[in-house]
Amino acid sequence: MRFVKFREIFSKAVLGGCTPQRLTRSFCCGVYIAFSPFPGAHTVMMVISKYFFNLHFPTLFIATSINNPWTMIPFFSFDYVFGYWFTHSLLGWEPSLGWEPSWIISLTRVFGVGKICIWSFLIGGNILGIVAAVASYPVVNKFFDRLAAAIAKNRML
């Protein structure tokens, strides 16, 4: 009963010519956009992705909506923490040792406050977005394939 509206939307998409692969690509692109470290640009990224990659907009919107005002702080915090770990532990950026590449910008230099590394946030968000999108692809593809088969089976009865 909870998924009746979703099933209706999906049925219209499948019957309207959307393939499960197109829906899967749309969902995975939405997952990347949800993790992307560009606050305020998610809607623009959705619209541009829809037209450039010929994606299914309702599916793209649903996946992108994983990151909403209630989940924004945990998403962006996780992006930053992962990016900080990646850049400082794996790549060895350590400003306290006097070695900091000139292209690393910190909020201290930009705004005069904080010790937050912008590159940690940007790199972490993009890596996590790509990993989440790629990791979700097989699961979402299987889900959409099975749902399409169930809808086709119900149509034939």
Side-chain angles (χ1 to χ4, degrees):
M1 188 69 177
R2 295 164 53 193
F3 295 106
V4 172
K5 187 68 174 171
F6 176 74
R7 189 176 291 249
E8 286 177 18
I9 291 171
F10 185 76
S11 297
K12 288 179 186 176
V14 169
L15 297 175
C18 269
T19 63
Q21 289 74 26
R22 181 179 176 209
L23 294 170
T24 303
R25 284 193 317 268
S26 301
F27 190 87
C28 291
C29 186
V31 168
Y32 169 75
I33 292 171
F35 274 94
S36 72
F38 306 110
H42 291 165
T43 304
V44 174
M45 291 171 68
M46 261 192 325
V47 171
I48 290 172
S49 297
K50 188 256 185 277
Y51 289 107
F52 278 124
F53 303 121
N54 190 26
L55 301 174
H56 185 247
F57 192 76
T59 307
L60 182 65
F61 179 78
I62 288 169
T64 303
S65 297
I66 295 168
N67 187 354
N68 56 53
W70 294 287
T71 61
M72 189 176 294
I73 291 174
F75 264 82
F76 290 151
S77 298
F78 192 56
D79 287 352
Y80 178 76
V81 168
F82 177 78
Y84 191 87
W85 171 79
F86 183 80
T87 57
H88 290 79
S89 294
L90 291 181
L91 299 181
W93 298 347
E94 192 56 55
S96 64
L97 297 175
W99 187 80
E100 183 176 13
S102 61
W103 53 274
I104 294 179
I105 303 169
S106 69
L107 289 180
T108 305
R109 287 191 229 157
V110 177
F111 300 111
V113 296
K115 285 281 188 184
I116 298 173
C117 180
I118 293 172
W119 286 106
S120 295
F121 176 64
L122 295 175
I123 291 170
N126 280 308
I127 291 173
L128 285 177
I130 291 168
V131 167
V134 169
S136 66
Y137 187 88
V139 174
V140 174
N141 191 32
K142 190 173 214 173
F143 171 76
F144 282 135
D145 281 341
R146 287 185 177 179
L147 198 53
I151 289 170
K153 183 179 177 183
N154 286 340
R155 231 176 106 191
M156 293 198 159
L157 293 178

